[in-house]
Structures are given as C-alpha cells and as structure tokens.
Amino acid sequence: MNEPADTSEPPTGVTTAEWGLWQAFRNGSEHDLRTHQPELDDPNGDHPWGPERTVRARFIARLLLHGPPPLLGRVASLQLTGARVTGCLDVSGGVVEHYVEFRQCRFADEIRMPEARLHTARFVDCYIPRLEAARLTTEGDLHLPRCSIPEGVKLTDATIGTDLMLNEATVGSGRRTRAIAADGVTVSQELQASLLLTDGQVSLRGATVGSSLHMFGAVLRNPRGRYALYAPQMTVEQVASFADASRATAPQIYGATPPTGTRYDFTTQGGTRWRTKHFECTGGIVLDDGRFGSSLVIENARLDLQLDQELSLRRITAPQLNFTPQAPERGLIVLSGATVDKLVDRTRSWPRDHRLWMAGFAYQQAIPWEGHFNVRERLRWVATATPEYAPEPYEQLAAMYRNTGEDTNARVVLLAKQRRRRETLPLPAKAWGYVQDWTVAYGYRPGQAALWMGVLWLTGALLFDAHRPEPVKGDESPHWNAALYALDLLLPVISFNQDTAWNPAGRYQWLAAAMIALGWILATTVAAGATRLLRRQ
C-alpha cells in the first residue's frame, strides 16, 4: 500500500471492501459485508467468502494504529461485520485509541495483541484461529461471545478495565495443553464465561475478578490432562458460580448477546420456553487458596473425574459455600483447611465412600439445600471423611450444633466421636470404654446411670429383704432396712450405717461385693460425665 498525500484518503491499491471500511471508520459506522443468508454468513461454515468480502489484516492494523481523522462531528471507530480477514492481525505493543468491534468475521490467521493498550475490543460470533494477548491492557471490555477459537486464548497477566466476556465461546487447545491461559489476569468487573465450551485446560491461577465470575452452563473438558479448571489463588470479590444456565440465570447469560446456534435442554415455565444447560466438567477442578467475597456456588454440576483427579477446595475462604453438585462416581472431593461461615449442601452431593477429605474444614452453619439433613446423616458424612479416626470433624460438627442451640444433636455427635475413638484404643481401655458406654454413654446420657442405679438398688433390696444377713454386734445393730442397706452398698461416699452393721454370708457376700464394685464404677463414670458437662458449659 502506498502512503496517500492526504491522510483522509485511503491508500492506493485498496479493494472495494477495504475502501468501504476506510470510510466507515471515519464515519464511526458499521461496515457490513454479509449476504444476510445465514448459511453463507456462518464464520464456521464451509462456504467460500470471495474478494468482495475480504479485508487484509495489515490494512485493519493501519486503521487501528495510524487511522485517518474522523469526519466532522463523528467519532472514528472500527466496526466490521461479515468479513474474511487475511493475514495475521498484529497490533503487539501498540496503542489503539478507537472502539473496535468485529461481528461474524472469519480470520484466516491468529490475532496478536500482546503488550497492546486498547479502549474496548469486541469480537462477536467470529472464527479466530488463536488469540495471543498476554499482558494486554484495556480500559473497557474485552468481549469474545460465541467465538470459535480452536487454537486457544492467551491472556496471561492481562488487565481488563471492565468486563471479560466469553459467553458461548468454543475454545480448543490445538497442539497445546491449555485452551485458555489466563494466569494472573485482572478483570475489574465481571468475568462471564457462561455456556463456554472448552477442549483443554482453563488456567486462571492467581486471577483477580473485581465483581463476579459466572460459568453458568459451561462445559469444560480436558481428556488429555489432569485439570479442566486450574484456578488456585483466585480472588473473586463477589460470587463465583458454577451452576445451571436456566431461567434464573438468564439475565447474566443473555444480556446484549442473545444465544444463537447453541444446543440446550428446554424447560417450560409459565408458557415460556427457557433454555437450560448444566455445568459440566471432565477433568479435575482446583480452586485452592481462593478468596470469594460473597459466595462460591457449585450447584447441580456434573463432574466427571478420574481416580487421580479432584475437586479441590483446599484452604478456600468464603462467607457461603453452596455445594450441591451431582456426586462424582470417581475422584476426590477435598475441603481440607477450607473456612466458610455457611455451608449449604445436600446429602446426595457427597461421595458415599472414603473419597471426601475435609481435615481442618471449618464452618459455622450447615444448612440443607433441600429436605432434612438430620444428625445421623451428618455423622455418616463425617465418617466418610475420616476413614481413620480424627477428632476434629466431630468437634467441628458438635460446635456447629451448639452454636445453633441444638445441644441434643451436639451430644449425639460427641458420643459418636467417643465410640470411634474407642476402636483405636488397646484392649483394656476399649473394655473400659464399653462399660462407660453401656452405663452412662460416656456421660452424654446421664439419665442412663440413674436407670442402672435404680435397677441395682431394687434388685439388691428385694434379695436382701428375702435373705437378711446376720448382725455384726448382735443387739447393738441398727434397725434392719433392706432398702437402706442396698443403697449403702451402692453409694461409695454416703453412709447410712447399714453396710457396716450387717454381715452377709455365702453368695450374698459376693452379691454385696458386686454391688459395691458396680457402685464405684457408676460413680466414676457419672463424675467423668459431670466433668465433661461442666467443661462444655
């Protein structure tokens, strides 16, 4: 292209399509090269686009970096629709001051924007072989809705001034391992990736999102690697959602970019057909050390994990964790060291075998998402997470019940803890544990001790009333009372002067000795239970 004498005129050698784009740029209007026949305008279709729809990437780069002045009263912008862009669009390190928007365009080669500075760039329903934009800085949005990007997107350490939108995009990894490489990306407002379809790892390590992260109905697949979503140390100031795309989430998904050409399951509500799609993930998810300012929502998700893969939430911090996915058939659920104020879950979301790890998991409330999650089910949940006995999960669950005023459930949990602990003790201690359990349930059921004392006292009173022992000192003995005598034998401290005044013989002597021993055992266990009660209070 030759340099024009007047910068307001296009350079020589431009095509008709490029001349029209030059004029549209100065006018700030859209340059539309579509045929308005859907099958011919599909950027992913097989129909050839001729020279009448072809614009060179070098020509576009010239407009963006060194474009002509706008017409009087207009603001220059590049808005290109339905074009075939040949060559590599490269604005690396450049400063683009104009609004940029491509719609339904077919790029023949990758787009390169590393180290570039832009205001707002929108690529809507385009075919882009690859987007290289490491350390890109935008003052406004970067939109890629409904784009097909088979070789992946690189946004490492990029800074997005407002929103990053990937709704309904299809992103592959090509010969690489990562479909989206966005480690260290900073998004000032929302990161929207609903109905996103990826083939390869999505990497958001150390990402910062100033508002919310939405992945409603996204499908993340990485059959060749261990992780489908790798996002440790991510910070989201409000909500991070991995949930269904449904009627409730429609405003966040559809907005200004309504879905086209995407397959969904349909549900009907109030006579209106709403499109619904589940969040699906084939491969591991890592959100370790994440910080979520409002809540982390993993709702009704479908997780397809291999035996060595995890849904890992180690050491996350969030006011609320909504955990209601479909329980994966394989792989681990890891909550070790996580801290949340409120846990909202459901029974069938947790693995039934020992594939749940939650050592050090701290929560203040546990609320069922649906139905009633009773204390027995919570105990099964804890037992699943502790194939080897550990006291912390039981103490955490008991503390949660105490904080919500459910003292009865707290005692049930602590009793279950003692029974699990008993199985780890040597035989003598285990036998003593069984005695404490049968008598006073380790002090957590004090009424049980009173029942045993009553049975022993009544049995002893009846037997000794029928077989009165001989007095020790003849006429000096107190008046015989079988009930007081039996009670004197059972109580190790209090004395009614009956046990020392009468001398049973034969088998009744053994009966008296047994009652004394049982009285000491009951008194010891009652004292231990009282000590625990005072400590809890």
Side-chain angles (χ1 to χ4, degrees), residues 101 103 122-125 143-146 165-168 192 194-195 250-260 262 264:
E101 181 175 297
R103 287 183 175 269
R122 294 178 177 169
F123 300 84
V124 181
D125 197 13
H143 284 190
L144 297 163
R146 302 195 303 279
M165 182 181 290
L166 294 163
N167 290 349
E168 298 184 86
Q192 299 184 25
S194 298
L195 304 172
Q252 289 89 348
I253 299 172
Y254 302 151
T257 56
T260 58
T262 306
Y264 306 88

Side-chain angles (χ1 to χ4, degrees), residues 494-523:
I494 300 174
S495 175
F496 299 102
N497 297 322
Q498 288 283 331
D499 57 339
T500 58
W502 305 94
N503 186 22
R507 57 185 179 179
Y508 293 99
Q509 187 178 24
W510 288 105
L511 175 61
M515 292 184 67
I516 292 171
L518 290 173
W520 273 103
I521 292 172
L522 286 173

Side-chain angles (χ1 to χ4, degrees), residues 127-143:
Y127 175 85
I128 305 170
R130 178 170 173 80
L131 175 61
E132 282 276 356
R135 297 171 298 283
L136 168 72
T137 300
T138 72
E139 294 184 12
D141 300 333
L142 175 61
H143 284 190

